[in-house]
Short mmCIF file of all heavy atoms in Angstrom, two decimals:
data_model
loop_
_atom_site.label_atom_id
_atom_site.label_comp_id
_atom_site.label_asym_id
_atom_site.label_seq_id
_atom_site.Cartn_x
_atom_site.Cartn_y
_atom_site.Cartn_z
N MET D 5 10.25 -13.04 -4.81
CA MET D 5 10.84 -12.54 -3.63
C MET D 5 10.37 -11.02 -3.37
O MET D 5 10.04 -10.66 -2.32
CB MET D 5 12.37 -12.56 -3.56
CG MET D 5 12.85 -12.07 -2.32
SD MET D 5 14.78 -12.03 -2.12
CE MET D 5 15.43 -13.03 -3.29
N VAL D 6 10.35 -10.13 -4.56
CA VAL D 6 9.96 -8.83 -4.42
C VAL D 6 8.55 -8.72 -4.05
O VAL D 6 8.10 -7.94 -3.22
CB VAL D 6 10.26 -8.20 -5.81
CG1 VAL D 6 9.57 -6.80 -5.84
CG2 VAL D 6 11.68 -8.10 -6.07
N LYS D 7 7.66 -9.51 -4.71
CA LYS D 7 6.22 -9.54 -4.49
C LYS D 7 5.97 -9.97 -3.00
O LYS D 7 5.03 -9.39 -2.26
CB LYS D 7 5.45 -10.44 -5.40
CG LYS D 7 3.85 -10.40 -5.21
CD LYS D 7 3.19 -11.07 -6.26
CE LYS D 7 1.58 -10.76 -6.11
NZ LYS D 7 0.97 -11.45 -7.10
N LYS D 8 6.66 -10.93 -2.35
CA LYS D 8 6.44 -11.47 -1.08
C LYS D 8 6.75 -10.26 -0.12
O LYS D 8 5.91 -10.14 0.86
CB LYS D 8 7.43 -12.56 -0.90
CG LYS D 8 7.34 -13.20 0.54
CD LYS D 8 8.26 -14.30 0.68
CE LYS D 8 8.19 -14.85 2.14
NZ LYS D 8 9.16 -15.94 2.23
N GLU D 9 7.78 -9.57 -0.28
CA GLU D 9 8.07 -8.38 0.56
C GLU D 9 7.11 -7.32 0.47
O GLU D 9 6.68 -6.73 1.46
CB GLU D 9 9.46 -7.90 0.27
CG GLU D 9 10.62 -8.86 0.68
CD GLU D 9 10.63 -9.20 2.13
OE1 GLU D 9 10.42 -8.20 3.09
OE2 GLU D 9 10.66 -10.44 2.39
N ALA D 10 6.71 -7.09 -0.79
CA ALA D 10 5.56 -5.96 -0.88
C ALA D 10 4.26 -6.56 -0.19
O ALA D 10 3.49 -5.64 0.22
CB ALA D 10 5.32 -5.78 -2.41
N GLU D 11 3.99 -7.73 -0.29
CA GLU D 11 2.65 -8.25 0.30
C GLU D 11 2.77 -7.96 1.94
O GLU D 11 1.85 -7.67 2.56
CB GLU D 11 2.54 -9.67 0.08
CG GLU D 11 2.08 -10.00 -1.35
CD GLU D 11 0.70 -9.49 -1.55
OE1 GLU D 11 -0.11 -9.17 -0.77
OE2 GLU D 11 0.26 -9.45 -2.80
N LYS D 12 3.97 -8.15 2.58
CA LYS D 12 4.17 -7.80 3.98
C LYS D 12 3.88 -6.36 4.13
O LYS D 12 3.20 -6.05 5.16
CB LYS D 12 5.61 -8.11 4.31
CG LYS D 12 5.99 -9.51 4.41
CD LYS D 12 7.40 -9.81 4.81
CE LYS D 12 7.81 -11.27 4.74
NZ LYS D 12 9.19 -11.39 5.02
N VAL D 13 4.45 -5.47 3.37
CA VAL D 13 4.30 -3.95 3.43
C VAL D 13 2.62 -3.70 3.31
O VAL D 13 2.06 -2.99 4.20
CB VAL D 13 5.09 -3.12 2.39
CG1 VAL D 13 4.54 -1.77 2.51
CG2 VAL D 13 6.44 -3.29 2.65
N ALA D 14 1.99 -4.47 2.37
CA ALA D 14 0.58 -4.04 2.11
C ALA D 14 -0.15 -4.60 3.28
O ALA D 14 -1.16 -4.03 3.82
CB ALA D 14 0.24 -4.84 0.92
N GLY D 15 0.27 -5.73 3.89
CA GLY D 15 -0.39 -6.24 5.15
C GLY D 15 -0.37 -5.28 6.29
O GLY D 15 -1.35 -5.06 7.02
N ARG D 16 0.82 -4.75 6.54
CA ARG D 16 1.04 -3.71 7.53
C ARG D 16 0.13 -2.55 7.36
O ARG D 16 -0.49 -1.93 8.27
CB ARG D 16 2.56 -3.39 7.71
CG ARG D 16 3.44 -4.36 8.37
CD ARG D 16 4.67 -4.02 8.74
NE ARG D 16 5.53 -3.43 7.64
CZ ARG D 16 6.29 -4.18 7.01
NH1 ARG D 16 6.63 -5.39 7.22
NH2 ARG D 16 7.10 -3.54 5.94
N ALA D 17 0.22 -2.10 6.13
CA ALA D 17 -0.61 -0.96 5.71
C ALA D 17 -2.11 -1.14 6.00
O ALA D 17 -2.97 -0.33 6.49
CB ALA D 17 -0.50 -0.53 4.13
N ARG D 18 -2.73 -2.41 5.60
CA ARG D 18 -4.06 -2.72 5.86
C ARG D 18 -4.28 -2.75 7.43
O ARG D 18 -5.34 -2.34 7.88
CB ARG D 18 -4.43 -4.01 5.30
CG ARG D 18 -4.69 -3.98 3.82
CD ARG D 18 -5.07 -5.31 3.21
NE ARG D 18 -4.56 -5.51 1.81
CZ ARG D 18 -3.62 -6.26 1.62
NH1 ARG D 18 -2.87 -6.95 2.42
NH2 ARG D 18 -3.16 -6.26 0.26
N ALA D 19 -3.43 -3.35 8.14
CA ALA D 19 -3.61 -3.50 9.59
C ALA D 19 -3.52 -2.02 10.37
O ALA D 19 -4.29 -1.93 11.30
CB ALA D 19 -2.49 -4.32 10.16
N SER D 20 -2.81 -1.09 9.80
CA SER D 20 -2.88 0.23 10.45
C SER D 20 -3.66 1.26 9.73
O SER D 20 -3.61 2.41 10.19
CB SER D 20 -1.36 0.74 10.49
OG SER D 20 -0.83 0.98 9.28
N ALA D 21 -4.41 0.97 8.80
CA ALA D 21 -5.23 1.88 7.92
C ALA D 21 -6.32 2.39 8.83
O ALA D 21 -6.99 1.71 9.45
CB ALA D 21 -5.78 1.18 6.71
N PRO D 22 -6.58 3.74 8.71
CA PRO D 22 -7.84 4.23 9.43
C PRO D 22 -8.98 3.72 8.79
O PRO D 22 -9.10 3.44 7.48
CB PRO D 22 -7.75 5.72 9.16
CG PRO D 22 -6.85 5.91 8.00
CD PRO D 22 -5.88 4.71 8.01
N VAL D 23 -10.07 3.42 9.58
CA VAL D 23 -11.33 2.69 8.94
C VAL D 23 -12.49 3.79 9.20
O VAL D 23 -12.89 4.05 10.41
CB VAL D 23 -11.60 1.37 9.61
CG1 VAL D 23 -12.80 0.88 9.14
CG2 VAL D 23 -10.47 0.38 9.43
N ASP D 24 -13.10 4.20 8.15
CA ASP D 24 -14.32 4.88 8.26
C ASP D 24 -15.41 3.99 7.64
O ASP D 24 -16.24 3.43 8.26
CB ASP D 24 -14.19 6.33 7.54
CG ASP D 24 -15.38 7.16 7.65
OD1 ASP D 24 -16.14 6.94 8.70
OD2 ASP D 24 -15.65 8.01 6.77
N SER D 25 -15.16 3.95 6.32
CA SER D 25 -16.15 3.05 5.69
C SER D 25 -15.42 1.71 5.23
O SER D 25 -16.06 0.67 4.83
CB SER D 25 -16.57 3.69 4.22
OG SER D 25 -15.42 3.91 3.42
N GLY D 26 -14.17 1.57 5.38
CA GLY D 26 -13.33 0.49 5.00
C GLY D 26 -12.97 0.41 3.60
O GLY D 26 -12.23 -0.54 3.17
N ASP D 27 -13.47 1.41 2.68
CA ASP D 27 -12.94 1.36 1.34
C ASP D 27 -11.45 1.49 1.18
O ASP D 27 -10.98 0.82 0.33
CB ASP D 27 -13.76 2.39 0.53
CG ASP D 27 -15.25 2.17 0.53
OD1 ASP D 27 -15.66 1.01 0.74
OD2 ASP D 27 -16.03 3.14 0.33
N TYR D 28 -10.92 2.34 1.86
CA TYR D 28 -9.40 2.63 1.77
C TYR D 28 -8.68 1.25 2.12
O TYR D 28 -7.82 0.81 1.35
CB TYR D 28 -9.01 3.77 2.75
CG TYR D 28 -7.53 3.95 2.80
CD1 TYR D 28 -6.69 4.20 1.72
CD2 TYR D 28 -6.76 3.68 3.95
CE1 TYR D 28 -5.35 4.47 1.90
CE2 TYR D 28 -5.52 3.83 4.09
CZ TYR D 28 -4.67 4.09 2.99
OH TYR D 28 -3.36 4.27 3.14
N ARG D 29 -8.99 0.74 3.24
CA ARG D 29 -8.35 -0.54 3.62
C ARG D 29 -8.53 -1.67 2.55
O ARG D 29 -7.56 -2.31 2.30
CB ARG D 29 -8.96 -0.96 4.97
CG ARG D 29 -8.29 -2.25 5.39
CD ARG D 29 -8.90 -2.79 6.71
NE ARG D 29 -8.36 -1.93 7.74
CZ ARG D 29 -8.44 -2.06 9.09
NH1 ARG D 29 -9.34 -2.92 9.42
NH2 ARG D 29 -7.88 -1.33 9.95
N LYS D 30 -9.63 -1.81 2.12
CA LYS D 30 -9.84 -2.90 1.06
C LYS D 30 -9.26 -2.68 -0.18
O LYS D 30 -8.93 -3.52 -1.12
CB LYS D 30 -11.40 -2.98 0.78
CG LYS D 30 -12.19 -3.50 1.89
CD LYS D 30 -13.77 -3.48 1.59
CE LYS D 30 -14.63 -3.37 2.66
NZ LYS D 30 -15.99 -3.02 2.40
N SER D 31 -8.88 -1.33 -0.54
CA SER D 31 -8.32 -0.99 -1.85
C SER D 31 -6.78 -1.12 -1.75
O SER D 31 -6.13 -0.92 -2.95
CB SER D 31 -8.71 0.32 -2.30
OG SER D 31 -8.02 1.32 -1.48
N ILE D 32 -6.08 -1.33 -0.70
CA ILE D 32 -4.68 -1.52 -0.70
C ILE D 32 -4.25 -2.83 -1.35
O ILE D 32 -4.80 -3.85 -0.90
CB ILE D 32 -4.07 -1.34 0.82
CG1 ILE D 32 -4.45 0.02 1.32
CG2 ILE D 32 -2.67 -1.72 0.85
CD1 ILE D 32 -4.21 0.17 2.80
N ARG D 33 -3.38 -2.71 -2.23
CA ARG D 33 -2.93 -3.99 -3.01
C ARG D 33 -1.51 -3.80 -3.58
O ARG D 33 -0.94 -2.71 -3.46
CB ARG D 33 -3.94 -4.22 -4.18
CG ARG D 33 -3.92 -3.11 -5.25
CD ARG D 33 -5.00 -3.47 -6.35
NE ARG D 33 -5.08 -2.35 -7.17
CZ ARG D 33 -4.19 -2.12 -8.14
NH1 ARG D 33 -3.12 -2.83 -8.42
NH2 ARG D 33 -4.32 -1.05 -8.93
N VAL D 34 -1.02 -4.95 -3.96
CA VAL D 34 0.42 -4.93 -4.63
C VAL D 34 0.14 -4.95 -6.16
O VAL D 34 -0.68 -5.66 -6.64
CB VAL D 34 1.08 -6.13 -4.13
CG1 VAL D 34 2.42 -6.20 -4.92
CG2 VAL D 34 1.49 -6.11 -2.66
N GLN D 35 0.90 -4.01 -6.75
CA GLN D 35 0.97 -3.94 -8.20
C GLN D 35 2.31 -4.34 -8.68
O GLN D 35 3.31 -3.56 -8.17
CB GLN D 35 0.44 -2.69 -8.60
CG GLN D 35 0.55 -2.31 -10.08
CD GLN D 35 0.07 -0.91 -10.50
OE1 GLN D 35 -0.38 -0.21 -9.56
NE2 GLN D 35 0.31 -0.59 -11.70
N MET D 36 2.46 -5.28 -9.61
CA MET D 36 3.74 -5.58 -10.07
C MET D 36 4.07 -5.00 -11.43
O MET D 36 3.00 -4.86 -12.24
CB MET D 36 3.95 -7.16 -10.19
CG MET D 36 3.84 -7.90 -8.91
SD MET D 36 5.28 -7.51 -7.88
CE MET D 36 6.67 -8.16 -8.79
N LYS D 37 5.27 -4.47 -11.69
CA LYS D 37 5.75 -4.01 -12.99
C LYS D 37 7.02 -4.63 -13.26
O LYS D 37 7.83 -4.82 -12.42
CB LYS D 37 5.86 -2.43 -12.94
CG LYS D 37 4.65 -1.71 -12.68
CD LYS D 37 4.86 -0.25 -12.81
CE LYS D 37 3.57 0.57 -12.81
NZ LYS D 37 3.67 2.00 -13.06
N TYR D 38 7.17 -5.03 -14.56
CA TYR D 38 8.21 -5.62 -15.10
C TYR D 38 8.94 -4.85 -16.16
O TYR D 38 8.32 -4.63 -17.22
CB TYR D 38 8.14 -7.10 -15.50
CG TYR D 38 7.39 -7.96 -14.55
CD1 TYR D 38 6.11 -8.03 -14.32
CD2 TYR D 38 8.37 -8.64 -13.59
CE1 TYR D 38 5.67 -8.93 -13.29
CE2 TYR D 38 7.75 -9.38 -12.55
CZ TYR D 38 6.54 -9.58 -12.47
OH TYR D 38 5.89 -10.32 -11.46
N GLN D 39 10.10 -4.19 -15.94
CA GLN D 39 10.74 -3.38 -16.88
C GLN D 39 12.02 -4.00 -17.15
O GLN D 39 12.15 -5.29 -17.57
CB GLN D 39 10.84 -2.04 -16.55
CG GLN D 39 9.49 -1.38 -16.29
CD GLN D 39 9.52 0.01 -15.48
OE1 GLN D 39 10.62 0.32 -14.98
NE2 GLN D 39 8.44 0.62 -15.38
N LYS D 40 13.14 -3.42 -16.64
CA LYS D 40 14.49 -4.14 -16.69
C LYS D 40 14.67 -5.02 -15.46
O LYS D 40 15.59 -5.94 -15.47
CB LYS D 40 15.63 -3.13 -16.74
CG LYS D 40 15.71 -2.35 -18.03
CD LYS D 40 16.82 -1.44 -18.07
CE LYS D 40 16.88 -0.65 -19.37
NZ LYS D 40 17.88 0.41 -19.33
N ARG D 41 13.79 -4.84 -14.46
CA ARG D 41 13.82 -5.71 -13.24
C ARG D 41 12.33 -5.63 -12.61
O ARG D 41 11.49 -4.85 -13.02
CB ARG D 41 14.76 -5.09 -12.17
CG ARG D 41 14.37 -3.65 -11.83
CD ARG D 41 15.38 -3.17 -10.91
NE ARG D 41 15.15 -1.78 -10.65
CZ ARG D 41 16.03 -0.78 -10.46
NH1 ARG D 41 17.28 -1.14 -10.67
NH2 ARG D 41 15.70 0.30 -10.26
N ALA D 42 12.14 -6.48 -11.78
CA ALA D 42 10.80 -6.59 -11.16
C ALA D 42 10.71 -5.44 -10.10
O ALA D 42 11.47 -5.33 -9.30
CB ALA D 42 10.72 -7.89 -10.40
N VAL D 43 9.55 -4.76 -10.18
CA VAL D 43 9.16 -3.71 -9.24
C VAL D 43 7.85 -3.97 -8.53
O VAL D 43 6.91 -4.23 -9.39
CB VAL D 43 9.25 -2.20 -9.94
CG1 VAL D 43 8.89 -1.21 -8.98
CG2 VAL D 43 10.60 -2.00 -10.67
N ALA D 44 7.73 -3.81 -7.35
CA ALA D 44 6.48 -3.96 -6.73
C ALA D 44 6.06 -2.67 -6.08
O ALA D 44 6.84 -2.01 -5.40
CB ALA D 44 6.55 -5.02 -5.63
N LEU D 45 4.74 -2.37 -6.31
CA LEU D 45 4.16 -1.03 -5.76
C LEU D 45 3.02 -1.49 -4.82
O LEU D 45 2.28 -2.31 -5.22
CB LEU D 45 3.71 -0.11 -6.86
CG LEU D 45 4.63 0.29 -7.96
CD1 LEU D 45 3.89 0.93 -9.16
CD2 LEU D 45 5.70 1.11 -7.36
N VAL D 46 3.04 -0.90 -3.69
CA VAL D 46 1.80 -1.01 -2.74
C VAL D 46 1.00 0.34 -3.15
O VAL D 46 1.38 1.44 -2.89
CB VAL D 46 2.22 -1.07 -1.42
CG1 VAL D 46 1.03 -1.15 -0.49
CG2 VAL D 46 3.17 -2.23 -1.17
N VAL D 47 -0.23 0.05 -3.61
CA VAL D 47 -1.09 1.09 -4.04
C VAL D 47 -2.47 0.98 -3.38
O VAL D 47 -2.86 -0.09 -2.88
CB VAL D 47 -1.14 1.27 -5.55
CG1 VAL D 47 0.29 1.45 -6.18
CG2 VAL D 47 -1.79 -0.11 -6.10
N SER D 48 -3.15 2.03 -3.50
CA SER D 48 -4.58 2.12 -3.07
C SER D 48 -5.45 2.86 -4.11
O SER D 48 -4.92 3.90 -4.72
CB SER D 48 -4.72 2.87 -1.78
OG SER D 48 -6.18 3.06 -1.39
N ASP D 49 -6.57 2.18 -4.55
CA ASP D 49 -7.39 2.79 -5.56
C ASP D 49 -8.50 3.59 -5.12
O ASP D 49 -9.30 4.12 -5.80
CB ASP D 49 -7.93 1.61 -6.39
CG ASP D 49 -6.90 0.80 -7.11
OD1 ASP D 49 -5.83 1.38 -7.41
OD2 ASP D 49 -7.04 -0.37 -7.32
N ASP D 50 -8.60 3.84 -3.71
CA ASP D 50 -9.76 4.55 -3.20
C ASP D 50 -9.61 6.13 -3.52
O ASP D 50 -8.40 6.61 -3.46
CB ASP D 50 -9.80 4.43 -1.58
CG ASP D 50 -10.96 5.05 -0.97
OD1 ASP D 50 -12.11 4.70 -1.41
OD2 ASP D 50 -10.76 5.96 -0.14
N PRO D 51 -10.55 6.67 -3.98
CA PRO D 51 -10.60 8.07 -4.30
C PRO D 51 -9.94 8.98 -3.11
O PRO D 51 -9.49 10.08 -3.39
CB PRO D 51 -11.91 8.48 -4.71
CG PRO D 51 -12.62 7.30 -5.01
CD PRO D 51 -11.98 6.13 -4.21
N LYS D 52 -10.14 8.64 -1.89
CA LYS D 52 -9.68 9.42 -0.66
C LYS D 52 -8.23 9.12 -0.42
O LYS D 52 -7.82 9.69 0.58
CB LYS D 52 -10.64 9.09 0.43
CG LYS D 52 -12.09 9.58 0.09
CD LYS D 52 -12.87 9.27 1.32
CE LYS D 52 -13.13 7.75 1.68
NZ LYS D 52 -13.94 6.91 0.91
N THR D 53 -7.68 8.27 -1.14
CA THR D 53 -6.27 7.87 -0.72
C THR D 53 -5.32 9.05 -0.50
O THR D 53 -4.56 9.08 0.53
CB THR D 53 -5.63 6.97 -1.87
OG1 THR D 53 -6.39 5.76 -1.89
CG2 THR D 53 -4.21 6.61 -1.50
N MET D 54 -5.28 10.05 -1.41
CA MET D 54 -4.34 11.12 -1.24
C MET D 54 -4.62 12.02 0.03
O MET D 54 -3.75 12.42 0.69
CB MET D 54 -4.29 11.96 -2.44
CG MET D 54 -3.87 11.35 -3.67
SD MET D 54 -2.08 10.57 -3.52
CE MET D 54 -1.25 12.14 -3.58
N ILE D 55 -5.86 12.10 0.39
CA ILE D 55 -6.21 12.88 1.61
C ILE D 55 -5.83 11.98 2.86
O ILE D 55 -5.23 12.57 3.75
CB ILE D 55 -7.69 13.17 1.57
CG1 ILE D 55 -8.02 14.10 0.51
CG2 ILE D 55 -8.18 13.70 3.05
CD1 ILE D 55 -9.67 14.31 0.32
N ILE D 56 -6.15 10.77 2.80
CA ILE D 56 -5.71 9.92 3.95
C ILE D 56 -4.21 9.86 4.09
O ILE D 56 -3.75 10.07 5.31
CB ILE D 56 -6.32 8.48 3.73
CG1 ILE D 56 -7.79 8.48 3.87
CG2 ILE D 56 -5.80 7.56 4.82
CD1 ILE D 56 -8.53 7.34 3.36
N GLU D 57 -3.42 9.68 2.97
CA GLU D 57 -1.95 9.57 3.12
C GLU D 57 -1.43 10.94 3.58
O GLU D 57 -0.48 10.96 4.28
CB GLU D 57 -1.40 9.30 1.73
CG GLU D 57 -1.60 7.84 1.40
CD GLU D 57 -1.03 6.94 2.52
OE1 GLU D 57 0.12 7.03 2.88
OE2 GLU D 57 -1.75 6.02 2.87
N SER D 58 -1.98 12.14 3.12
CA SER D 58 -1.47 13.48 3.74
C SER D 58 -1.63 13.62 5.13
O SER D 58 -0.78 14.25 5.62
CB SER D 58 -2.10 14.58 2.88
OG SER D 58 -3.48 14.68 3.12
N LYS D 59 -2.71 13.03 5.67
CA LYS D 59 -2.94 13.22 7.06
C LYS D 59 -2.27 12.11 7.90
O LYS D 59 -1.91 12.48 9.12
CB LYS D 59 -4.47 13.09 7.32
CG LYS D 59 -5.13 14.26 6.78
CD LYS D 59 -6.53 14.29 7.03
CE LYS D 59 -7.33 15.64 6.47
NZ LYS D 59 -8.67 15.59 6.83
N THR D 60 -2.19 10.86 7.47
CA THR D 60 -1.62 9.77 8.24
C THR D 60 -0.28 9.18 7.83
O THR D 60 0.48 8.70 8.59
CB THR D 60 -2.57 8.57 8.26
OG1 THR D 60 -2.62 7.98 6.89
CG2 THR D 60 -3.98 9.03 8.68
N GLY D 61 0.02 9.29 6.54
CA GLY D 61 1.27 8.79 6.00
C GLY D 61 1.32 7.23 6.21
O GLY D 61 2.30 6.55 6.47
N ASN D 62 0.13 6.59 6.08
CA ASN D 62 0.07 5.16 6.35
C ASN D 62 0.97 4.19 5.47
O ASN D 62 1.52 3.35 6.01
CB ASN D 62 -1.42 4.66 6.14
CG ASN D 62 -1.70 3.26 6.58
OD1 ASN D 62 -1.37 2.92 7.69
ND2 ASN D 62 -2.36 2.56 5.73
N LEU D 63 0.94 4.53 4.10
CA LEU D 63 1.68 3.66 3.25
C LEU D 63 3.20 3.76 3.51
O LEU D 63 3.93 2.87 3.57
CB LEU D 63 1.33 3.99 1.81
CG LEU D 63 0.02 3.50 1.45
CD1 LEU D 63 -0.28 3.85 0.00
CD2 LEU D 63 -0.20 2.05 1.65
N ALA D 64 3.67 5.07 3.66
CA ALA D 64 4.94 5.42 3.91
C ALA D 64 5.52 4.75 5.36
O ALA D 64 6.57 4.08 5.25
CB ALA D 64 5.22 6.83 3.97
N ARG D 65 4.74 4.83 6.33
CA ARG D 65 4.97 4.19 7.66
C ARG D 65 5.05 2.82 7.51
O ARG D 65 5.83 2.08 8.16
CB ARG D 65 4.00 4.69 8.66
CG ARG D 65 4.35 4.61 10.03
CD ARG D 65 3.27 5.24 11.00
NE ARG D 65 2.03 4.61 10.90
CZ ARG D 65 1.02 5.28 10.44
NH1 ARG D 65 1.12 6.63 9.96
NH2 ARG D 65 -0.18 4.68 10.20
N SER D 66 4.21 2.21 6.69
CA SER D 66 4.24 0.70 6.55
C SER D 66 5.49 0.12 5.88
O SER D 66 5.95 -0.94 6.08
CB SER D 66 2.96 0.26 5.74
OG SER D 66 1.83 0.60 6.38
N LEU D 67 5.92 0.99 4.90
CA LEU D 67 7.23 0.65 4.39
C LEU D 67 8.34 0.53 5.16
O LEU D 67 9.32 -0.32 5.02
CB LEU D 67 7.51 1.57 3.16
CG LEU D 67 8.75 1.40 2.24
CD1 LEU D 67 8.55 0.03 1.56
CD2 LEU D 67 8.99 2.59 1.30
N LYS D 68 8.42 1.36 6.20
CA LYS D 68 9.47 1.39 7.26
C LYS D 68 9.31 0.30 8.21
O LYS D 68 10.17 -0.04 9.03
CB LYS D 68 9.50 2.76 7.96
CG LYS D 68 9.72 3.92 7.04
CD LYS D 68 9.70 5.24 7.79
CE LYS D 68 9.93 6.42 6.82
NZ LYS D 68 9.79 7.70 7.58
N GLY D 69 8.16 -0.40 8.16
CA GLY D 69 7.97 -1.53 9.13
C GLY D 69 7.44 -0.97 10.55
O GLY D 69 7.55 -1.77 11.49
N LYS D 70 7.00 0.19 10.64
CA LYS D 70 6.55 0.67 11.91
C LYS D 70 5.12 0.75 12.06
O LYS D 70 4.37 0.79 11.07
CB LYS D 70 7.17 2.01 12.05
CG LYS D 70 8.63 2.04 12.20
CD LYS D 70 9.09 3.47 12.45
CE LYS D 70 10.68 3.37 12.46
NZ LYS D 70 11.22 4.67 12.72
#
């Protein structure tokens, strides 16, 4: 259930991601961690992620569903 909801967030993030080369959009994915409970993270592996996020807030906005 946690991964399913995270995939929805990742899908919204990909849909609203700014596209220059497309690398940022392609690198958005769900990463699962299991500690005391299941945790899903929506992450991007593109080197420009921090710059893009500081200017657009794409991942944070996707989490809110907007």
Side-chain angles (χ1 to χ4, degrees):
M5 182 181 346
V6 172
K7 186 173 183 178
K8 181 180 175 182
E9 291 301 314
E11 289 292 350
K12 290 179 187 177
V13 173
R16 287 192 298 266
R18 284 185 211 103
S20 64
V23 180
D24 184 25
S25 65
D27 292 339
Y28 170 68
R29 178 180 283 183
K30 291 178 207 169
S31 72
I32 296 173
R33 63 181 174 81
V34 173
Q35 177 181 350
M36 295 296 298
K37 291 189 176 187
Y38 299 95
Q39 297 163 355
K40 292 183 180 181
R41 60 182 176 221
V43 176
L45 304 171
V46 178
V47 298
S48 172
D49 296 329
D50 186 57
K52 299 178 294 282
T53 297
M54 294 304 286
I55 294 168
I56 294 169
E57 286 304 311
S58 70
K59 291 182 179 183
T60 67
N62 184 53
L63 292 177
R65 203 174 51 252
S66 298
L67 182 60
K68 295 176 185 176
K70 297 180 181 179

